[in-house]
Amino acid sequence: MVRLIRFIIDGNALEALGVLVVVLLVRWGLSLIFAPKLPTADTLLGGNTPPPPPLTPEPDRTPSSLFSLKLALGLLAAVLAVGGVLFINRDSGGLLHVVVSDKAPGQEFDLRVDDAPVEPVLRIGQHLAYPVPSGRHEIYLRDPGIGVTRIFRVDIQEGDAFMLSVHPDTCAVQIDMSPLTYGRPTRSTPTQLTGIVVRTLPVMTRFMDTASPLRIPGNAALSFNELPETWVQGQTASILTPLPCSLAQDDRSTWTAVRTLFPGLDDAAQRVGYTEEDPTRSEVAAMDDSQLRNLFELQKSAPPPAPAQARETPP
């Protein structure tokens, strides 16, 4: 009984109700099968001759049988309903993602949830993903490659995906890979003027808070190998990559640092037409109408970018 109460307190009331309904249904079925048969009035009186049939046939009335049938159908419907609710409310929790260092390849990265070790369910290069049940948890992680231990507190809901920084001085930046990997469109940043779309540096967002879990943006991969093979019209393919916070102070310094760390990105940027004069998204947001038109005409006169193709940017 104590275990049942604790099971319900832990948020499993629906599961407990389902078990109770099933037990009652099985008990009722067994009672019908093994119910004692009462002797008839003729047997009690010792008579062996059955009573004469009535002159007028009477309809067969079996109220107890109808009641039993209705009860069985009702219990069956309850079981199905509870089962449906349990299936709909089945909670698979979320995932915690980390990009580990490769400075200690012989040692395993250590992640614990509420002091219990967890094995990764995804391992692509240095990108690891760990399953975590819904609820509030304390997360311990240690990267032996850099010798740093970190503690996070997270509140996981079903379907959540968070990225954890393995070092307090390591931020994360989101880079638009649509033009870099697939060749187009480089001019994909809309402006306040209708029909004026310009090319900006592909830094989408910088995440500077390393003390809190980072909710992974949609369409963001954590390694180059996880980018889709082909570009889909109207969608954005991006990569969320760690970067020292000192190199991510603004979008322009971030773009310079990323191109230096990943030479393949620099080659791709030159191939699709990026230049040192291209503005950042924040700079475009601050431009007036005249400046936007001048930028649009300047980029329009530049050579067209390479045609779209399968991804070719090396990791």
Side-chain angles (χ1 to χ4, degrees):
M1 178 60 70
V2 174
R3 292 184 178 179
L4 177 61
I5 295 175
R6 183 177 297 276
F7 184 71
I8 296 174
I9 292 176
D10 290 339
N12 301 299
L14 289 176
E15 288 85 347
L17 177 60
V19 173
L20 178 61
V21 170
V22 172
V23 170
L24 292 177
L25 181 60
V26 172
R27 182 177 179 181
W28 171 80
L30 293 176
S31 67
L32 290 181
I33 296 175
F34 297 103
K37 297 182 179 180
L38 298 176
T40 62
D42 292 334
T43 304
L44 292 175
L45 296 175
N48 296 322
T49 304
L55 297 177
T56 304
E58 296 182 358
D60 184 17
R61 296 188 180 94
T62 55
S64 61
S65 299
L66 292 177
F67 175 78
S68 300
L69 179 60
K70 291 180 179 179
L71 179 60
L73 292 176
L75 289 175
L76 179 59
V79 171
L80 294 177
V82 171
V85 171
L86 293 176
F87 179 80
I88 294 174
N89 290 277
R90 184 176 55 184
D91 193 339
S92 58
L95 290 174
L96 294 180
H97 298 257
V98 293
V99 178
V100 303
S101 68
D102 58 353
K103 298 179 181 179
Q107 303 180 45
E108 288 292 329
F109 184 83
D110 186 13
L111 186 143
R112 300 171 184 268
V113 177
D114 300 328
D115 206 30
V118 181
E119 292 296 324
V121 294
L122 174 70
R123 187 190 296 267
I124 303 178
Q126 296 168 241
H127 171 205
L128 306 178
Y130 296 83
V132 180
S134 295
R136 297 179 182 273
H137 304 282
E138 183 177 84
I139 309 300
Y140 164 96
L141 58 84
R142 179 175 177 79
D143 188 339
I146 55 179
V148 172
T149 298
R150 305 209 66 192
I151 302 293
F152 295 90
R153 287 176 175 81
V154 297
D155 186 0
I156 296 289
Q157 305 297 325
E158 184 177 14
D160 280 348
F162 290 99
M163 178 181 179
L164 303 180
S165 176
V166 298
H167 195 283
D169 295 329
T170 300
C171 296
V173 296
Q174 185 181 6
I175 304 298
D176 183 3
M177 297 298 297
S178 300
L180 294 167
T181 303
Y182 312 102
R184 67 178 184 183
T186 51
R187 287 189 295 161
S188 58
T189 302
T191 68
Q192 60 190 8
L193 298 179
T194 303
I196 302 298
V197 180
V198 298
R199 180 178 66 242
T200 59
L201 298 184
V203 178
M204 301 177 65
T205 316
R206 294 175 295 112
F207 301 95
M208 308 299 291
D209 181 11
T210 65
S212 303
L214 163 63
R215 186 178 295 276
I216 299 177
N219 298 325
L222 270 69
S223 71
F224 293 102
N225 293 334
E226 297 172 69
L227 290 168
E229 288 295 330
T230 57
W231 177 67
V232 178
Q233 182 73 30
Q235 293 189 5
T236 298
S238 64
I239 184 169
L240 192 65
T241 184
L243 189 70
C245 296
S246 60
L247 301 179
Q249 296 303 308
D250 56 61
D251 289 356
R252 191 168 293 280
S253 65
T254 296
W255 176 231
T256 301
V258 169
R259 291 175 68 172
T260 302
L261 292 174
F262 304 103
L265 290 184
D266 188 52
D267 295 339
Q270 297 181 29
R271 183 176 62 251
V272 299
Y274 278 103
T275 69
E276 297 297 331
E277 291 75 25
D278 288 334
T280 65
R281 299 191 179 199
S282 59
E283 291 171 345
V284 168
M287 290 181 179
D288 58 27
D289 294 355
S290 176
Q291 291 173 318
L292 289 174
R293 290 192 179 93
N294 291 337
L295 177 61
F296 176 75
E297 293 299 329
L298 179 64
Q299 293 183 346
K300 185 178 179 181
S301 62
Q309 52 191 317
R311 66 181 176 93
E312 55 185 58
T313 304

